[in-house]
PDB file of all heavy atoms in Angstrom:
ATOM      1  N   TYR G 671       7.036  26.866   6.821  1.00 98.00           N
ATOM      2  CA  TYR G 671       6.880  27.927   5.837  1.00 98.00           C
ATOM      3  C   TYR G 671       7.466  27.391   4.528  1.00 98.00           C
ATOM      4  O   TYR G 671       8.686  27.288   4.375  1.00 98.00           O
ATOM      5  CB  TYR G 671       7.610  29.193   6.274  1.00 98.00           C
ATOM      6  CG  TYR G 671       6.752  30.138   7.088  1.00 98.00           C
ATOM      7  CD1 TYR G 671       5.800  29.662   7.989  1.00 98.00           C
ATOM      8  CD2 TYR G 671       6.886  31.515   6.962  1.00 98.00           C
ATOM      9  CE1 TYR G 671       5.008  30.526   8.726  1.00 98.00           C
ATOM     10  CE2 TYR G 671       6.109  32.397   7.689  1.00 98.00           C
ATOM     11  CZ  TYR G 671       5.172  31.901   8.574  1.00 98.00           C
ATOM     12  OH  TYR G 671       4.381  32.763   9.304  1.00 98.00           O
ATOM     13  N   LEU G 672       6.604  27.065   3.607  1.00 98.00           N
ATOM     14  CA  LEU G 672       7.064  26.378   2.403  1.00 98.00           C
ATOM     15  C   LEU G 672       7.681  27.317   1.372  1.00 98.00           C
ATOM     16  O   LEU G 672       8.136  26.857   0.318  1.00 98.00           O
ATOM     17  CB  LEU G 672       5.914  25.571   1.788  1.00 98.00           C
ATOM     18  CG  LEU G 672       5.319  24.492   2.706  1.00 98.00           C
ATOM     19  CD1 LEU G 672       4.270  23.684   1.964  1.00 98.00           C
ATOM     20  CD2 LEU G 672       6.399  23.575   3.273  1.00 98.00           C
ATOM     21  N   ASP G 673       7.714  28.629   1.672  1.00 98.00           N
ATOM     22  CA  ASP G 673       8.506  29.515   0.825  1.00 98.00           C
ATOM     23  C   ASP G 673      10.000  29.356   1.104  1.00 98.00           C
ATOM     24  O   ASP G 673      10.828  29.787   0.293  1.00 98.00           O
ATOM     25  CB  ASP G 673       8.075  30.974   0.996  1.00 98.00           C
ATOM     26  CG  ASP G 673       8.034  31.420   2.454  1.00 98.00           C
ATOM     27  OD1 ASP G 673       7.566  30.643   3.304  1.00 98.00           O
ATOM     28  OD2 ASP G 673       8.458  32.548   2.746  1.00 98.00           O
ATOM     29  N   HIS G 674      10.355  28.741   2.240  1.00 98.00           N
ATOM     30  CA  HIS G 674      11.772  28.488   2.527  1.00 98.00           C
ATOM     31  C   HIS G 674      12.339  27.468   1.530  1.00 98.00           C
ATOM     32  O   HIS G 674      11.623  26.591   1.046  1.00 98.00           O
ATOM     33  CB  HIS G 674      11.941  27.978   3.954  1.00 98.00           C
ATOM     34  CG  HIS G 674      11.851  29.072   4.984  1.00 98.00           C
ATOM     35  ND1 HIS G 674      12.600  29.080   6.130  1.00 98.00           N
ATOM     36  CD2 HIS G 674      11.106  30.210   5.024  1.00 98.00           C
ATOM     37  CE1 HIS G 674      12.313  30.155   6.846  1.00 98.00           C
ATOM     38  NE2 HIS G 674      11.402  30.852   6.188  1.00 98.00           N
ATOM     39  N   ARG G 675      13.624  27.588   1.266  1.00 97.00           N
ATOM     40  CA  ARG G 675      14.256  26.782   0.210  1.00 97.00           C
ATOM     41  C   ARG G 675      14.305  25.301   0.585  1.00 97.00           C
ATOM     42  O   ARG G 675      14.322  24.943   1.767  1.00 97.00           O
ATOM     43  CB  ARG G 675      15.659  27.309  -0.072  1.00 97.00           C
ATOM     44  CG  ARG G 675      16.573  27.349   1.135  1.00 97.00           C
ATOM     45  CD  ARG G 675      17.835  28.135   0.841  1.00 97.00           C
ATOM     46  NE  ARG G 675      18.627  28.297   2.055  1.00 97.00           N
ATOM     47  CZ  ARG G 675      19.945  28.136   2.112  1.00 97.00           C
ATOM     48  NH1 ARG G 675      20.623  27.810   1.024  1.00 97.00           N
ATOM     49  NH2 ARG G 675      20.598  28.321   3.238  1.00 97.00           N
ATOM     50  N   GLN G 676      14.373  24.462  -0.431  1.00 97.00           N
ATOM     51  CA  GLN G 676      14.321  23.015  -0.239  1.00 97.00           C
ATOM     52  C   GLN G 676      15.696  22.354  -0.269  1.00 97.00           C
ATOM     53  O   GLN G 676      15.810  21.177   0.057  1.00 97.00           O
ATOM     54  CB  GLN G 676      13.421  22.388  -1.314  1.00 97.00           C
ATOM     55  CG  GLN G 676      12.015  22.972  -1.292  1.00 97.00           C
ATOM     56  CD  GLN G 676      11.075  22.290  -2.250  1.00 97.00           C
ATOM     57  OE1 GLN G 676      10.810  21.099  -2.125  1.00 97.00           O
ATOM     58  NE2 GLN G 676      10.555  23.029  -3.211  1.00 97.00           N
ATOM     59  N   ALA G 677      16.700  23.095  -0.702  1.00 97.00           N
ATOM     60  CA  ALA G 677      18.070  22.571  -0.749  1.00 97.00           C
ATOM     61  C   ALA G 677      19.017  23.765  -0.776  1.00 97.00           C
ATOM     62  O   ALA G 677      18.586  24.914  -0.942  1.00 97.00           O
ATOM     63  CB  ALA G 677      18.269  21.690  -1.982  1.00 97.00           C
ATOM     64  N   ASP G 678      20.313  23.498  -0.600  1.00 95.00           N
ATOM     65  CA  ASP G 678      21.276  24.601  -0.593  1.00 95.00           C
ATOM     66  C   ASP G 678      22.057  24.710  -1.893  1.00 95.00           C
ATOM     67  O   ASP G 678      23.053  25.435  -1.976  1.00 95.00           O
ATOM     68  CB  ASP G 678      22.239  24.476   0.583  1.00 95.00           C
ATOM     69  CG  ASP G 678      23.042  23.176   0.547  1.00 95.00           C
ATOM     70  OD1 ASP G 678      22.877  22.394  -0.415  1.00 95.00           O
ATOM     71  OD2 ASP G 678      23.825  22.948   1.489  1.00 95.00           O
ATOM     72  N   GLY G 679      21.622  24.016  -2.943  1.00 93.00           N
ATOM     73  CA  GLY G 679      22.336  24.052  -4.212  1.00 93.00           C
ATOM     74  C   GLY G 679      22.175  25.378  -4.941  1.00 93.00           C
ATOM     75  O   GLY G 679      21.225  26.130  -4.693  1.00 93.00           O
ATOM     76  N   PRO G 680      23.088  25.667  -5.868  1.00 94.00           N
ATOM     77  CA  PRO G 680      23.051  26.955  -6.581  1.00 94.00           C
ATOM     78  C   PRO G 680      21.875  27.088  -7.545  1.00 94.00           C
ATOM     79  O   PRO G 680      21.563  28.206  -7.966  1.00 94.00           O
ATOM     80  CB  PRO G 680      24.386  26.962  -7.346  1.00 94.00           C
ATOM     81  CG  PRO G 680      24.733  25.509  -7.513  1.00 94.00           C
ATOM     82  CD  PRO G 680      24.241  24.837  -6.279  1.00 94.00           C
ATOM     83  N   ASP G 681      21.237  25.979  -7.894  1.00 96.00           N
ATOM     84  CA  ASP G 681      20.123  26.041  -8.839  1.00 96.00           C
ATOM     85  C   ASP G 681      18.776  26.249  -8.169  1.00 96.00           C
ATOM     86  O   ASP G 681      17.752  26.366  -8.856  1.00 96.00           O
ATOM     87  CB  ASP G 681      20.061  24.750  -9.674  1.00 96.00           C
ATOM     88  CG  ASP G 681      21.230  24.638 -10.635  1.00 96.00           C
ATOM     89  OD1 ASP G 681      21.750  25.696 -11.049  1.00 96.00           O
ATOM     90  OD2 ASP G 681      21.635  23.505 -10.953  1.00 96.00           O
ATOM     91  N   GLU G 682      18.750  26.292  -6.829  1.00 97.00           N
ATOM     92  CA  GLU G 682      17.480  26.469  -6.132  1.00 97.00           C
ATOM     93  C   GLU G 682      16.927  27.857  -6.440  1.00 97.00           C
ATOM     94  O   GLU G 682      17.613  28.859  -6.246  1.00 97.00           O
ATOM     95  CB  GLU G 682      17.673  26.282  -4.628  1.00 97.00           C
ATOM     96  CG  GLU G 682      16.456  25.815  -3.891  1.00 97.00           C
ATOM     97  CD  GLU G 682      15.961  24.461  -4.335  1.00 97.00           C
ATOM     98  OE1 GLU G 682      16.780  23.611  -4.734  1.00 97.00           O
ATOM     99  OE2 GLU G 682      14.732  24.258  -4.296  1.00 97.00           O
TER     100      GLU G 682
END
Side-chain angles (χ1 to χ4, degrees):
Y671 269 36
L672 300 185
D673 52 318
H674 282 215
R675 57 192 173 136
Q676 302 185 62
D678 60 2
D681 291 332
E682 207 62 32

